[in-house]
Amino acid sequence: MTFRILLTAGAAPLALFSSVAFANETPVSAAEVGLAEDAPPSDQSEILVTARRRSENVQQVPIAMSVVGGERLAAQGTFNISKLTQLQPTLQFYSQNPRNTFINIRGIGAPFGLTNDGFEQGVGIYIDDVYYNRIASATLDFVDVDRIETLRGPQGTLYGKNTTAGAINITTSAPGFDLSGKAEVSLGNLNFKQGKATISGPLSDTVAARISGSTTSRRGTIYNLATNTYIQSVDNIGLRGALLWKPTSDLAVTVSGDWNLQDPICCALPFVRYGQTQRAANRQLPALLTYFPGYPRADYPLPNVDPYDRLTDVDAQLTARNEHGGLSARAVWDLDESNTLTSITAWRYWDWGPANDRDYTGLAVYTKVNNPTKQSQYTQEFRFNHKGDGFDFVLGLFGFHQKIRTSGIQETGLAASKWLLNPTNALSNNPDVLNRLTAVNDIRLDNTSLAAFGKVNWDVTERFTVSPGIRVNYDKKKGLYDSVVTGTASDGTRQVVSPTPGSPYYNDPWTVQQRGVQASQFFEPEFSAWNLSYDLNLRYKVTDDVNVYATYARSFKSGGINLNGVPADANGVPIASAFTIKPEKVDHFEAGIKTQFWDRKATFNLTGFWTEIENFQASVSNGQLGTVRGYLANADQVRSRGFEADLSVRPTERFSAYINGAYTDATFTSFCDAPPPPELSGGSSTGIVVTGKCNYTGTISAPGTAGGVSPPFVDVSGAVLPGVSKWAASWGAEANLPSALFGEDGQYYLGYDASYRSNWSSNPSPSIYTNVDGYSIHNFRAGFRTDSFDVFGWVRNAFDQNYIELLLAGTGGNTGLVAGQVGDPRTFGGTIKFSF
């Protein structure tokens, strides 16, 4: 019997396994821990991964997955998850700011359009086996990354409840007992500066350490005329450290931790276009702009006509401070050569401090829309692993607890009365009516999850493996939403804007108008449920270089609670049926083939998938529950189906090339009460009688008809899901030529990488105003490298492609304002790297 302990920073129980449906964990021996840098290089035809907790050729892992090494990430300037999308065709990433961030795979993962503390994403983010529960805490720069594995499709049996769409598994370099180090400096236009450094080596015969740091800064790409500053800047710093103790060949102890800070001048979206809604013409954008004299013109001039002018004039303070870090402990006990007992304990924190301008204009409509958030999470897992001759299994227990506290504020300013109130009402001419209308929000979540799981691998023959798995999960969420809204009454008294008839000032004319904009609300939602995930994977090894596989998975995403406010009845009482969100139920089918040929100089993989989700968690606007208000609920069913292919070739040491492509057909199979798109929003509901789900009568005006009639909800069954392109691809090549520079033998090289995605919908319900055009991005690099030195120049978005990353219908009523996140322009610079 031998004993082994391993401590790893922030290691999350859900992240400790490959998402391979048939795989259990194969322990990494203590002798292998921390020796990544000492290992001999693999054959160049292999890409080695540890998705199953052991080093193996990715071609032997029967799952749809993409792997990108740290060197390629650095060469292409991929220093965060946002830029990773240019390398992974089925990965989608959208971010207004770190908290309002969405990551999807194959079009599914997180509801598009709303940020809510009470639900969980469907794409798991893991760094060194650390589970990052909130996407916002995973927007950091990569620090000392060895590789990134993107695992596609549900991974519920081994990864857990939060991976209905897949997982992103990031591995950093481990401490080693040979002294080594590397440093990298990059400079570019837009005042781009980036520095990275790592040193690793022995402190004694049994202790090794590794310390890494990274810092990135860049001037913003949007110029704010109101403050004469550039916004959307980059200002990041990250530190990561690890200590490895190996007193014997059977014992390994690693203690590590990380700290990260983002503090840019960010974030605001420039004006893109005006799209006519159902609102009366005097309440839409062209008319509203004429109501604010005293500017350079008689009306308020928008700062830009073309979004690619990259101009804005937002007047509220902008901040996007994002701090997070963690520690953990991992203990591994080798009971004998076949059995291993593992315990992993982890803690992480996230501290989010924002300031936003949510009207996207230079007018004082919303002066504050901020939701500072603090989160801490703890995880604990125990598992028992047995590896036998043709029969392996793993059994495990998992526990997770999370605490989130959000203290938000929303405040309107002097322009709000004109912007938000009906101009036929005389009070719209009085800026004091809505000035300083303030909502102070106390939002709390306590989230507990427990699970037991098991996985079996049975080698029926030398070539055929059957792998069933099961996971039982219990979730409990307890929340609080307390929004206290205060405003000024007509007699000058500051008072609480109550939704309850009979409350003080309820019938005051100013208060009536304020209540139509925002009113106080309090509720304490709770949710608990048991869920079962299971899967079955079949793999057949046709030849040593050809593997075929098929998987069925029944997975789920945990139910949730609404913590952003819900619809209320006629008396202002929150409607209890809207408090909770049902779990998603996922049925997934996948089949694929992985091949190598041409003496393993070429690799071709093909995967087909079909995923159906019942009770898909989505943004809704449901008039059946009284007032029409956006919140989270369940769409009946969605479907994502398609295929993915990748081809890579390396005929010689002098040339390599790749191409990856994906076709994704992701649609709402059934969604009757979707929020109306902008062109059907803002009008009167007169003449519409709600008789049941998706059944309403009356005349609905044509899209964009001012003063029309709006439905309380729309049927988007058959429409595309937001955020996903039907076609996506990435491709590239690199050629090199051996030579010498300053007496050093090495090679000159030239590299090219590109990506493409077709058009996609950027609204929870498809809209004629928020369809994003497709685009392609092309990057080049050229330089000289040796074993210890690399210097190269680079150009990204070389052809200065204008493109939009995200479109949003403006807040503050259905005015027709559409704002957008504009993609980076052409950037260029140079990088110098040293290593020893």
Side-chain angles (χ1 to χ4, degrees):
M1 178 182 297
T2 60
F3 180 71
R4 183 176 67 197
I5 296 177
L6 182 65
L7 298 163
T8 307
L14 293 180
L16 299 174
F17 303 93
S18 160
S19 57
V20 181
F22 66 88
N24 63 273
E25 179 191 21
T26 300
V28 178
S29 70
E32 294 175 294
V33 175
L35 297 182
E37 296 180 354
D38 305 326
S42 63
D43 183 272
Q44 65 183 21
S45 66
E46 291 186 333
I47 299 177
L48 300 181
V49 297
T50 55
R52 293 194 289 173
R53 309 305 299 158
R54 62 187 175 197
S55 182
E56 59 185 332
N57 188 338
V58 67
Q59 289 301 107
Q60 303 300 319
V61 181
I63 187 175
M65 63 184 298
S66 302
V67 185
V68 184
E71 290 300 316
R72 182 182 170 197
L73 292 169
Q76 296 180 335
T78 304
F79 58 86
N80 56 32
I81 291 178
S82 172
K83 296 184 180 299
L84 184 64
T85 58
Q86 295 184 17
L87 305 179
Q88 309 285 10
T90 55
L91 181 67
Q92 297 93 38
F93 179 96
Y94 312 101
S95 181
Q96 299 176 53
N97 56 50
R99 185 173 188 264
N100 290 65
T101 296
F102 311 92
I103 298 180
N104 288 343
I105 294 177
R106 296 171 174 172
I108 54 180
F112 198 91
L114 282 177
T115 299
N116 192 313
D117 291 333
F119 79 97
E120 299 178 61
Q121 70 267 16
V123 176
I125 307 293
Y126 312 94
I127 299 180
D128 285 343
D129 294 338
V130 178
Y131 170 52
Y132 288 61
N133 181 264
R134 304 300 297 184
I135 294 292
S137 64
T139 57
L140 56 105
D141 281 5
F142 299 144
V143 180
D144 198 19
V145 168
D146 179 69
R147 68 186 175 279
I148 299 177
E149 302 164 10
T150 302
L151 314 174
R152 304 189 291 271
Q155 316 300 331
T157 301
L158 293 179
Y159 268 88
K161 59 179 180 171
N162 61 335
T163 54
T164 53
I168 299 173
N169 191 25
I170 302 172
T171 302
T172 65
S173 300
F177 281 88
D178 288 340
L179 181 63
S180 64
K182 56 185 178 180
E184 174 183 326
V185 175
S186 298
L187 299 174
N189 66 327
L190 303 181
N191 295 328
F192 176 80
K193 296 181 288 291
Q194 185 174 72
K196 301 178 182 179
T198 296
I199 188 167
S200 179
L203 301 181
S204 70
D205 291 340
T206 59
V207 178
R210 189 177 189 93
I211 300 175
S212 301
S214 172
T215 178
T216 305
S217 64
R218 192 193 70 180
R219 194 203 73 190
T221 56
I222 307 296
Y223 189 73
N224 188 356
L225 298 170
T227 59
N228 293 319
T229 57
Y230 284 95
I231 65 171
Q232 315 300 72
S233 64
V234 177
D235 188 0
N236 303 341
I237 186 170
L239 300 173
R240 180 177 293 273
L243 280 175
L244 169 64
W245 178 44
K246 290 178 58 179
T248 70
S249 60
D250 297 325
L251 177 64
V253 180
T254 305
V255 180
S256 55
D258 67 280
W259 176 81
N260 306 270
L261 176 65
Q262 297 170 294
D263 195 14
I265 304 173
C266 187
C267 303
L269 306 184
F271 170 78
V272 174
R273 65 172 64 102
Y274 159 67
Q276 194 175 29
T277 71
Q278 298 291 325
R279 238 183 180 193
N282 62 358
R283 302 194 67 194
Q284 297 202 43
L285 186 66
L288 289 171
L289 297 180
T290 68
Y291 298 156
F292 298 96
Y295 288 83
R297 299 203 312 256
D299 58 350
Y300 162 70
L302 288 168
N304 65 301
V305 176
D306 186 337
Y308 303 112
D309 293 337
R310 292 183 167 84
L311 296 173
T312 187
D313 63 348
V314 292
D315 57 331
Q317 181 185 2
L318 297 179
T319 303
R321 190 181 190 278
N322 189 35
E323 179 186 345
H324 46 96
L327 297 167
S328 74
R330 183 179 182 218
V332 181
W333 186 8
D334 289 337
L335 303 175
D336 53 40
E337 292 183 355
S338 300
N339 300 295
T340 302
L341 184 64
T342 303
S343 171
I344 302 171
T345 306
W347 164 78
R348 290 204 64 81
Y349 80 96
W350 171 46
D351 189 352
W352 164 237
N356 301 300
D357 190 326
R358 278 292 178 261
D359 55 65
Y360 309 125
T361 73
L363 301 173
V365 181
Y366 290 98
T367 55
K368 295 179 182 178
V369 185
N370 310 330
N371 288 287
T373 298
K374 294 183 181 294
Q375 173 193 302
S376 61
Q377 66 173 60
Y378 303 85
T379 52
Q380 175 64 58
E381 182 177 26
F382 300 100
R383 64 177 182 269
F384 176 79
N385 182 282
H386 171 78
K387 182 171 177 59
D389 186 12
F391 184 80
D392 304 333
F393 69 84
V394 61
L395 302 174
L397 298 173
F398 159 70
F400 168 85
H401 181 72
Q402 174 191 43
K403 182 172 72 174
I404 299 179
R405 299 293 184 264
T406 298
S407 53
I409 184 171
Q410 177 170 299
E411 185 174 276
T412 53
L414 289 169
S417 294
K418 271 293 188 182
W419 194 270
L420 300 175
L421 300 182
N422 194 322
T424 60
N425 188 315
L427 293 180
S428 67
N429 296 315
N430 186 342
D432 293 330
V433 175
L434 294 187
N435 186 37
R436 295 178 57 227
L437 180 67
T438 305
V440 176
N441 304 322
D442 181 7
I443 303 172
R444 306 179 189 181
L445 173 69
D446 289 281
N447 179 13
T448 300
S449 183
L450 303 172
F453 58 90
K455 189 71 177 176
V456 173
N457 295 323
W458 176 33
D459 294 333
V460 181
T461 70
E462 290 185 359
R463 294 189 175 274
F464 182 52
T465 302
V466 176
S467 302
I470 191 171
R471 188 183 190 100
V472 179
N473 199 94
Y474 172 76
D475 284 291
K476 182 177 181 180
K477 292 182 172 71
K478 183 177 181 180
L480 177 144
Y481 179 82
D482 185 9
S483 178
V484 179
V485 180
T486 56
T488 304
S490 58
D491 62 3
T493 303
R494 291 290 290 176
Q495 43 78 43
V496 175
V497 180
S498 173
T500 307
S503 61
Y505 293 98
Y506 183 82
N507 293 317
D508 180 85
W510 286 30
T511 304
V512 171
Q513 297 302 313
Q514 294 164 3
R515 191 167 59 246
V517 174
Q518 192 161 8
S520 303
Q521 191 173 85
F522 176 87
F523 59 93
E524 296 181 280
E526 292 190 21
F527 171 87
S528 62
W530 290 90
N531 280 284
L532 181 68
S533 295
Y534 50 89
D535 57 31
L536 177 66
N537 177 271
L538 307 175
R539 181 187 67 161
Y540 186 74
K541 193 173 184 179
V542 180
T543 70
D544 288 345
D545 293 326
V546 178
N547 284 274
V548 294
Y549 62 93
T551 298
Y552 167 72
R554 174 72 166 185
S555 189
F556 81 100
K557 186 167 77 171
S558 172
I561 54 180
N562 267 300
L563 290 176
N564 273 3
V566 297
D569 62 20
N571 293 317
V573 178
I575 297 176
S577 61
F579 289 174
T580 59
I581 313 161
K582 297 177 183 177
E584 293 182 355
K585 297 180 179 180
V586 183
D587 285 295
H588 174 76
F589 303 87
E590 186 160 330
I593 181 171
K594 292 191 171 187
T595 68
Q596 287 184 303
F597 55 96
W598 196 6
D599 294 330
R600 296 189 175 180
K601 296 175 181 177
T603 298
F604 176 73
N605 300 328
L606 179 66
T607 302
F609 62 92
W610 188 298
T611 305
E612 294 186 350
I613 303 179
E614 295 182 9
N615 295 322
F616 181 73
Q617 295 170 2
S619 301
V620 305
S621 182
N622 192 328
Q624 296 179 26
L625 298 183
T627 59
V628 180
R629 180 170 184 169
Y631 61 106
L632 289 177
N634 298 97
D636 290 340
Q637 189 176 66
V638 304
R639 180 193 64 213
S640 178
R641 59 185 178 183
F643 61 84
E644 301 157 347
D646 60 83
L647 171 68
S648 62
V649 296
R650 190 182 180 102
T652 73
E653 294 183 357
R654 303 290 162 242
F655 180 78
S656 62
Y658 69 94
I659 181 170
N660 307 318
Y663 168 81
T664 307
D665 176 25
T667 59
F668 292 107
T669 308
S670 176
F671 191 10
C672 290
D673 50 359
E679 60 268 29
L680 292 179
S681 300
S684 168
S685 60
T686 303
I688 294 179
V689 180
V690 177
T691 59
K693 195 171 187 181
C694 264
N695 298 316
Y696 49 83
T697 62
T699 301
I700 299 176
S701 302
T705 302
V709 177
S710 295
F713 48 79
V714 295
D715 183 358
V716 296
S717 302
V720 296
L721 286 174
V724 58
S725 297
K726 185 156 287 189
W727 295 98
S730 62
W731 64 94
E734 182 178 297
N736 65 75
L737 180 67
S739 186
L741 181 66
F742 303 126
E744 293 287 334
D745 292 333
Q747 54 187 227
Y748 290 97
Y749 62 93
L750 175 66
Y752 163 68
D753 300 281
S755 63
Y756 165 79
R757 63 179 304 184
S758 61
N759 60 2
W760 55 279
S761 170
S762 183
N763 198 66
S765 299
S767 168
I768 59 177
Y769 302 137
T770 57
N771 193 54
V772 178
D773 293 334
Y775 58 88
S776 62
I777 302 295
H778 303 263
N779 306 322
F780 296 88
R781 63 188 185 278
F784 180 84
R785 63 188 169 212
T786 69
D787 290 339
S788 60
F789 175 79
D790 189 359
V791 57
F792 62 97
W794 42 265
V795 181
R796 294 159 191 157
N797 190 9
F799 305 126
D800 206 17
Q801 171 71 59
N802 286 330
Y803 64 101
I804 296 291
E805 295 181 338
L806 183 71
L807 286 175
L808 293 174
T811 58
N814 302 285
T815 66
L817 185 151
V818 178
Q821 183 79 45
V822 180
D824 285 350
R826 176 171 50 229
T827 58
F828 53 87
T831 298
I832 301 177
K833 301 167 62 176
F834 299 91
S835 62
F836 65 89

